[in-house]
Amino acid sequence: MLVYCYAQKPTDSTADKMLVYQLANGGWPKQLEDKSVINYGATLNDDLLSKIKATTILHATFDNKATSREITYLIKAYNTTKNETYLKAAEKGLDYALSAQNKNGGWPQYYPDKSLYRSQITYNDDAMINILNILQDIITKANGFDVVNQSYIPKAEAAVKNGIDCILKTQVKQNGQLTIWAAQYDKDSMLPAKARNFEPASLSTAESVGIVQFLMRLPNPSPEIKASISSAVKWFEKYKISGYRFDRTENSTGKNAALLEDDKSVVWARFYDLEKNIPIFGDRDNSIKLKLEDLLPERRNGYAWYGNFAQKLLEKEYPKWLTTNGIK
């Protein structure tokens, strides 16, 4: 909602709240010090303001769209209101994002916090790809990012170049053949790594779709990028599961997640074994199951183990990319 004040530029109530939540290093948290999730619909009362103030820069993250969501929104708010405060906050967020990139081109889930799996190269939940898409918008002056200071263009170009290099290096090979990507990688060895107990080192379909979509944005793709895209698409085509959909049904014992027959549906498992290309399922106890039914009920019903992740990519986006780039 826009609010107009006499002799002042219009403001955006959500953007104003984002300014309050922005951390000193320019990033944003996904949750506060007390672990409460960020909610821009909440009223900024004294209790909430106290919690925000207590939240340190160690909570700055790219997880769950944090930081990328705010940068994007603030740019849109600036374009609507011309309120320079929003643009400056967005550029401070860009400074944070650029400073968080590893030398190998990857982005961690959190920065500067390096505890647990937070320093890993993180494709999970599109953390790295969300930032790369913003930087590509700066380069191409797309989606309203033409308002960003021109000094960010060469910075974005360098960061995207390094990010692409990381993407190409981390695409998993099997017997010399490119496949898709894992959700996260060790920041030093650049090998697939586990995160939470139920997120094993594995081929990750949802994140790999986001990676391919980003690569298809790039103008004049190199032979390496073309090979990367076509190899991933080939893998998705080979390992799709036709005639089933993932659903949660109700019975006397509660919810029951399962694959159900549906001749109009196609799905992929969330995770695949790095070598065998078979669906795998991680449980809370750090074990890996080969059947969804073998998971504890909480994990079986509390995670999107299957989805139509690559359907749009195969049916529409990839054919369009081929035509655009004159590839037969």
Side-chain angles (χ1 to χ4, degrees), residues 160-177:
V160 167
K161 182 178 181 296
N162 290 337
I164 293 169
D165 186 53
C166 178
I167 287 173
L168 297 179
K169 286 180 178 178
T170 53
Q171 190 168 9
V172 176
K173 281 186 177 181
Q174 296 172 348
N175 299 318
Q177 297 297 313

Side-chain angles (χ1 to χ4, degrees), residues 11-13 30 36 58 67 72 77 98-99 118 121 152 156 159 173 182 212 241 277 287 293 309:
T11 60
D12 179 298
S13 59
K30 70 172 185 178
S36 59
L58 291 179
T67 300
T72 301
L98 289 166
S99 69
R118 294 180 172 183
I121 298 169
Y152 282 94
K173 281 186 177 181
V212 173
I241 304 170
N277 299 306
S287 64
E293 296 77 13
F309 307 119

Side-chain angles (χ1 to χ4, degrees), residues 31-46:
Q31 60 185 24
L32 301 177
E33 187 71 34
D34 69 341
K35 299 189 183 303
S36 59
V37 177
I38 301 301
N39 175 16
Y40 288 116
T43 301
L44 292 174
N45 55 34
D46 289 343

Side-chain angles (χ1 to χ4, degrees), residues 179-197:
T179 61
I180 57 173
W181 290 264
Q184 51 275 320
Y185 292 75
D186 181 273
K187 66 180 180 62
D188 297 315
S189 69
M190 299 182 77
L191 294 175
K194 70 179 291 293
R196 291 174 291 187
N197 282 354

